[in-house]
Amino acid sequence: MNSILPIFSCVALAWLAHGALAQQPLPVGNPRFKPVPRAAAPPNDSNSGDALLRRAIAAVDAQPSITAKLRQQVDLLGRQLVGSGVYLQQGRGPQRLLRFELKLQASNKTTTNGMLQICDGTTLWIHEDLADRKNLSRVDVTRLRGARPKSPPPALPSNAWLALGGLPKLLMNLESSFQFGPVAESRLDSLQVWTVEGQWKPARLVQLLPDQKAKIEAGTAADTRNLAPNLPDCVVLHLGCDDLFPYRIEYWRREPANKNAR
C-alpha cells in the first residue's frame, strides 16, 4: 500500500509517504484545504470527524509495522524551519519499537539541526545535534507510563507521544484534546483524503485558559489569543480514503483581524 506521510519498512505492510507537519499563522478567512466533490461518505462514520479519527487510530495501531518518510514545515515565533526525516514503527503494545529521525534547517541558514529518538519499549534515547551543542538524554519509559496522571496535563512533553506509543499515541492525544467537525473529501496531490478540522475540547481549554473557566463552561467561545504562543488553536487532519492513514497533520494558529484588538 503506498501513501504520502510517515514511512516504515514493514514486516507485513509498508507505507511510502511524503507528509507534512505544520504549525503556522493562519490568516482569518484563509482556507486550509480545497474541498472536491464527495464521491462517497466515509465508511460507517456518519460524517463524524471524531468517529473517523477513532477508526484511523485503530487502523494505525493494528499495523505490525510502519515505515514513513516525512517532511516538516514550521513557522513559529518568527522562525521558519523546514525539515525531513523518517519514522519507523514495529510491533504492538507497550514493547513497540520506534525510531524517529528528523533534520531541520532554518530558511535563512545553512546549518542543519538534527534529532534522533529511539525507543525499545522500556527506554527512550534522545540525541540532539544542535548548532551550538549536542545532547544525549535517556527517558525511563516504564516509569513515565506509571507516572502518567489519569487526565492529560495541559501540555505533554514534545517527546511524550513517541515514548508512550508512537504515531497511534499522537493520534490518541489529538482525539482526547480536540473535537473534530464534519468530514470533507479533498486531495493531497493525486491522493484522495478525508479532511477534518478539530477545535479544542472545552475541558482542555479550561486547563489551558483557567482564567476563562466560567466563560468556557457556560458555552461561550474562549479567547484563544491568550493561549501560549507555541500552541495551535485548531488542527487539520488528512486521512487516506482507502487506508485512513494520517498523510498530513497541520497545526494552525489564526491571526486576528486586528492584532491589537482585545
Side-chain angles (χ1 to χ4, degrees):
M1 184 180 299
N2 290 333
S3 310
I4 308 179
L5 180 112
I7 303 190
F8 290 53
S9 286
C10 37
V11 177
L13 180 65
W15 265 294
L16 177 60
H18 317 288
L21 305 176
Q23 180 155 343
Q24 304 179 3
L26 178 64
V28 172
N30 206 25
R32 288 160 297 287
F33 54 88
K34 296 180 179 179
V36 298
R38 184 186 295 267
N44 304 320
D45 285 313
S46 302
N47 294 336
S48 165
D50 291 323
L52 187 66
L53 177 55
R54 287 192 292 270
R55 286 171 55 85
I57 292 171
V60 173
D61 191 49
Q63 300 308 321
S65 62
I66 300 176
T67 298
K69 289 178 180 176
L70 63 89
R71 291 201 302 265
Q72 185 170 33
Q73 180 179 347
V74 180
D75 188 344
L76 180 65
L77 302 176
R79 298 187 65 191
Q80 290 79 41
L81 300 171
V82 293
S84 61
V86 63
Y87 169 80
L88 305 176
Q89 172 182 310
Q90 182 171 325
R92 300 184 62 189
Q95 300 306 312
R96 176 176 284 147
L97 306 178
L98 301 163
R99 180 185 179 97
F100 176 75
E101 188 170 359
L102 180 67
K103 293 187 180 296
L104 283 170
Q105 182 174 326
S107 58
N108 59 347
K109 295 182 179 179
T110 58
T111 304
T112 299
N113 295 328
M115 175 183 293
L116 174 63
Q117 301 183 20
I118 298 175
C119 184
D120 63 2
T122 59
T123 303
L124 170 67
W125 295 95
I126 304 171
H127 180 253
E128 297 174 310
D129 188 355
L130 307 176
D132 55 346
R133 67 186 187 280
K134 294 184 179 181
N135 293 325
L136 177 63
S137 54
R138 175 183 176 274
V139 177
D140 187 330
V141 175
T142 304
R143 289 187 61 188
L144 180 62
R145 290 196 189 101
R148 281 185 297 168
K150 293 183 179 179
S151 59
L156 288 169
S158 59
N159 59 10
W161 68 273
L162 188 79
L164 299 176
L167 183 58
K169 183 60 180 180
L170 173 60
L171 297 179
M172 290 177 192
N173 286 343
L174 293 177
E175 191 272 335
S176 67
S177 297
F178 293 87
Q179 183 172 352
F180 290 85
V183 180
E185 186 180 348
S186 55
R187 287 182 181 274
L188 294 177
D189 296 325
S190 61
L191 179 71
Q192 283 191 305
V193 294
W194 301 119
T195 298
V196 292
E197 180 175 329
Q199 308 292 331
W200 287 105
K201 290 183 175 180
R204 297 292 280 129
L205 272 181
V206 168
Q207 292 179 304
L208 297 169
L209 301 171
D211 57 326
Q212 299 185 46
K213 178 179 179 180
K215 177 194 294 187
I216 295 168
E217 292 182 343
T220 305
D223 185 353
T224 56
R225 290 176 296 181
N226 294 326
L227 284 171
N230 63 317
L231 292 178
D233 57 15
C234 72
V235 173
V236 179
L237 299 179
H238 303 273
L239 307 171
C241 286
D242 64 339
D243 56 10
L244 297 181
F245 188 75
Y247 286 95
R248 184 150 69 193
I249 304 173
E250 303 174 7
Y251 301 89
W252 292 101
R253 185 67 174 262
R254 291 181 177 86
E255 291 181 341
N258 184 349
K259 295 183 181 180
N260 297 319
R262 289 285 177 184

